[in-house]
């Protein structure tokens, strides 16, 4: 439709609905679009906790999906008509939008992008303790109409949310063919299950109940090792721009149980895990000082399967923490990230040095006999949440251990009847004992000359 208000020297740059519905939705993977909706529920739970105190133990999020539909419902407080009209359905977050302190939803696009990505018909219902409302959009009809308006009305008929049971419910039907296909796969359901488990670990650990197709999601556990002489390193940084909210950063480096799958850096923004077990250059692996052509941090390999690094960014204003728009990685241009990155690599180096020492000790004495490996095996596990005070990473040097003579394992095979003959002759009961006794006898004879 032509705009009659345009001047002769003006061009109409109004976006089409189809551009948003079919193009912008391609920028985000399907699993991340689902996580955006869970983020909104978490923000609701956070807002309730800010008002009422306590933890998330009474809050829940239930999600179901199959080849025909997607739905998510929570009891996380809902939002009123005013917020729906002014902010929630806006394409982008207006400057006047009320922000939930320390929120994990920031860009004002997640819910709409997810709804259009999933299907061609959606209903959003929400209720606070004072009011309730619903928006129902048949996308095909809405796309053909002029204007960017959605109809809002009181909830008509039965609903799972109400002023007596505040929360938000979203139902999407007429799924896109490619979405329907993936929603019907057990493997996709398992992927969503594991993503929620890792990305929302902190909130689940604090009591938030989340289920996917009726299956309750448990929190993942991440443990660090400590002992007398083995102390995780922790540092706390603070950044603040003029007239902006403060950004608090907590960095932890430590040794954990040997696990290549869990080794690496974990980056957490306002409680939401952005990077998990990252072993890429983004978090410093393979860092080279170009001027001196010196490797500051080696590239990851399984020698560092015990490395654990965690960096927590927290700010009342979520626009200050360094995540990208899809919350799948960090914004490496963010100056707070760049400052924290320098400290991360400084704190990482002593842990890498210790793991190199451990590897050398295992090479010399074997995995079972290494004094350093035995020392680590006796360490106890602690949760990162318990580490707050600034402490320098501490680990013992190889020279601190009194070691016996260097040993080597000998293996060989002989006929069973011959080994049994020597067992009887030497009065021992195992093949290993036969080998040790015969070796000792020959050694003794040689030493006598």
């Amino acid at each position: 439709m032509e705009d009659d208000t345009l001047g002769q020297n003006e061009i109409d740059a109004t976006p089409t609905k189809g551009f948003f519905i079919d193009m912008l939705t391609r920028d985000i993977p399907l699993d991340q679009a689902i996580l955006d909706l869970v983020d909104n529920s978490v923000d609701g739970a956070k807002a309730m906790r800010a008002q009422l105190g306590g933890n998330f133990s009474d809050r829940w999020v239930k999600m179901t999906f199959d080849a025909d539909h997607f739905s998510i419902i929570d009891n996380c407080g809902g939002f009123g008509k005013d917020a729906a009209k002014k902010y929630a359905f806006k394409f982008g977050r207006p400057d006047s939008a009320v922000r939930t302190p320390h929120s994990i939803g920031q860009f004002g696009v997640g819910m709409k992008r997810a709804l259009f990505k999933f299907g061609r018909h959606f209903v959003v219902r929400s209720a606070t303790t004072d009011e309730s409302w619903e928006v129902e959009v048949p996308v095909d009809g809405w796309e053909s109409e002029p204007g960017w308006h959605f109809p809002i009305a009181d909830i008509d008929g039965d609903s799972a949310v109400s002023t007596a049971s505040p929360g938000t419910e979203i139902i999407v039907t007429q799924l896109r063919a490619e979405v329907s296909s993936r929603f019907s796969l057990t493997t996709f359901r398992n992927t969503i299950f594991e993503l929620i488990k890792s990305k929302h670990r902190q909130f689940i650990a604090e009591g938030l109940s989340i289920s996917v197709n009726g299956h309750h999601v448990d929190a993942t556990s991440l443990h660090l090792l400590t002992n007398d002489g083995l102390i995780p390193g922790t540092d706390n940084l603070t950044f603040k721009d003029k007239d902006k909210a403060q950004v608090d950063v907590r960095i932890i480096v430590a040794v954990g149980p040997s696990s290549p799958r869990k080794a690496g850096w974990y980056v957490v923004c306002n409680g939401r895990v952005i990077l998990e077990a990252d072993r890429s250059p983004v978090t410093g692996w393979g860092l080279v000082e170009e001027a001196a052509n010196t490797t500051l941090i080696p590239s990851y390999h399984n020698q560092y399967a015990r490395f654990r690094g965690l960096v927590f960014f927290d700010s009342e204003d979520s626009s200050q923490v360094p995540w990208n728009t899809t919350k799948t990685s960090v914004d490496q241009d963010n100056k707070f990230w760049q400052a924290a990155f320098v400290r991360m690599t400084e704190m990482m180096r002593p842990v890498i040095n210790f793991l190199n020492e451990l590897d050398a000790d295992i090479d010399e004495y074997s995995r079972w006999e290494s004094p350093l490996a035995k020392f680590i095996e006796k360490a106890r596990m602690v949760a990162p949440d318990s580490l707050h005070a600034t402490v320098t990473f501490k680990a013992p040097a190889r020279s601190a251990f009194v070691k016996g003579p260097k040993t080597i394992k000998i293996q060989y095979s002989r006929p069973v009847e011959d080994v049994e003959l020597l067992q009887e002759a030497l009065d021992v009961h195992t093949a290993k004992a036969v080998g040790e006794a015969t070796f000792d006898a020959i050694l003794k004879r040689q030493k006598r000359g």
Side-chain angles (χ1 to χ4, degrees):
M1 179 178 294
E2 292 188 7
D3 186 349
D4 296 334
T5 65
L6 281 176
Q8 189 172 7
N9 296 320
E10 292 179 307
I11 297 173
D12 183 4
T14 305
T16 64
K17 293 178 180 176
F19 175 75
F20 188 90
I21 295 171
D22 296 318
M23 297 300 293
L24 291 186
T25 54
R26 296 183 184 182
D27 290 346
I28 188 168
L30 186 59
D31 50 11
Q32 298 300 324
I34 291 175
L35 291 183
D36 270 345
L37 297 180
V38 179
D39 287 349
N40 290 343
S41 295
V42 171
D43 276 344
K46 281 186 163 189
M48 291 190 76
R49 185 175 65 170
Q51 285 184 329
L52 305 175
N55 54 27
F56 299 127
S57 58
D58 294 326
R59 306 276 72 84
W60 49 258
V61 183
K62 299 175 182 177
M63 177 193 307
T64 62
F65 56 80
D66 56 27
D68 299 319
H69 90 293
F70 172 91
S71 76
I72 183 169
I73 181 171
D74 66 52
N75 72 338
C76 298
F79 53 100
K81 285 182 181 177
D82 193 57
K85 290 178 179 177
K86 293 181 179 177
Y87 315 123
F89 286 93
K90 283 278 190 181
F91 291 88
R93 182 181 290 277
D95 292 338
S96 58
V98 177
R99 293 179 182 274
T100 299
H102 308 276
S103 72
I104 57 175
Q106 177 204 344
F107 302 100
V109 70
M111 181 182 73
K112 283 83 68 179
R113 184 165 54 182
L115 298 178
F116 287 120
K117 186 174 186 69
F118 293 172
R120 306 296 291 185
H121 185 278
F122 62 81
V123 179
V124 181
R125 300 188 180 98
S126 194
T128 66
T129 54
D130 299 321
E131 60 182 351
S132 62
W133 55 269
E134 70 176 20
V135 167
E136 181 173 3
V137 178
V139 176
D140 290 337
W142 179 79
E143 186 177 4
S144 64
E145 297 171 353
W148 288 75
H149 308 112
F150 294 120
I152 187 168
D154 293 334
I155 292 179
D156 185 17
D158 295 334
S159 171
V161 296
S162 65
T163 53
S165 182
T168 299
E169 179 182 31
I170 295 173
I171 302 171
V172 186
T173 53
Q174 299 180 27
L175 301 180
R176 292 173 184 260
E178 66 275 17
V179 173
S180 171
S181 174
R182 295 193 70 189
F183 278 2
S184 64
L185 298 174
T186 301
T187 51
F188 184 74
R189 189 205 70 186
N190 294 341
T191 297
I192 296 300
F193 194 91
E194 292 301 322
L195 275 174
I196 292 173
K197 192 172 185 176
S198 68
K199 300 295 185 182
H200 295 91
R201 182 185 70 85
Q202 180 173 321
F203 310 115
I204 297 171
E206 293 179 22
L208 181 65
S209 172
I210 303 179
S211 66
V212 178
N213 282 1
H215 297 275
H216 182 72
V217 181
D218 295 320
T220 55
S221 57
L222 186 66
H223 294 109
L224 312 178
L225 297 178
T226 186
N227 205 342
D228 292 338
L230 180 64
I231 309 294
T234 303
D235 200 5
N236 295 284
L237 312 174
T238 298
F239 304 108
K240 189 179 187 312
D241 276 346
K242 184 179 180 182
D243 299 328
K244 299 288 186 180
Q246 179 173 301
V247 178
D248 297 311
V249 182
R250 181 162 55 104
I251 305 172
I252 300 172
V253 292
V255 170
S258 181
S259 170
R261 188 172 60 85
K262 293 185 176 180
W265 278 100
Y266 295 72
V267 181
V268 184
C269 292
N270 278 1
R272 166 76 138 77
V273 175
I274 304 302
L275 291 177
E276 182 180 27
D278 186 80
R279 301 181 285 271
S280 75
V282 171
T283 50
W285 293 98
L287 181 65
V288 174
E289 186 180 31
E290 294 184 359
N293 196 26
T294 302
T295 299
L296 299 178
I297 301 294
S299 297
Y300 176 83
H301 49 86
N302 285 347
Q303 179 177 330
Y304 306 118
R306 289 183 177 274
F307 177 84
R308 302 290 187 278
L310 303 97
V311 53
F312 300 88
F313 292 84
D314 191 80
S315 177
E316 183 174 326
D317 180 355
S318 60
S319 69
Q320 297 296 298
V321 297
W323 46 21
N324 64 5
T325 59
T326 53
K327 300 171 207 165
T328 52
S329 188
V330 297
D331 175 6
Q332 296 183 69
D333 294 328
N334 181 292
K335 62 182 180 182
F336 302 141
W337 167 259
Q338 293 175 357
F341 178 82
V342 172
R343 187 65 184 126
M344 287 163 60
T345 53
E346 289 174 349
M347 294 175 66
M348 186 178 185
R349 187 68 247 185
V351 184
I352 294 297
N353 291 344
F354 173 68
L355 294 178
N356 286 338
E357 289 271 280
L358 174 63
D359 189 60
D361 211 51
I362 290 174
D363 273 354
E364 183 172 349
Y365 292 98
S366 84
R367 186 171 303 280
W368 301 272
E369 300 298 330
S370 157
L372 214 47
K374 288 182 177 179
F375 169 82
I376 290 178
E377 292 303 323
K378 294 176 182 175
R380 66 180 185 278
M381 292 193 285
V382 295
D385 300 341
S386 64
L387 305 173
H388 293 278
T390 298
V391 177
T392 300
F393 175 77
K394 182 179 178 183
R398 291 182 68 195
S399 57
F401 295 89
V402 177
K403 300 168 182 174
K406 186 176 180 179
T407 63
I408 189 170
K409 181 175 288 186
I410 302 172
Q411 287 182 310
Y412 56 87
S413 300
R414 287 292 182 273
V416 173
E417 58 268 28
D418 291 348
V419 174
E420 290 176 344
L421 177 67
L422 287 178
Q423 273 185 243
E424 184 174 351
L426 297 169
D427 192 23
V428 295
H429 304 290
T430 66
K432 178 184 176 186
V434 169
E436 291 172 343
T438 53
F439 179 90
D440 289 345
I442 296 299
L443 179 65
K444 185 176 180 181
R445 189 173 72 186
Q446 287 298 110
K447 284 184 174 178
R448 280 202 306 262

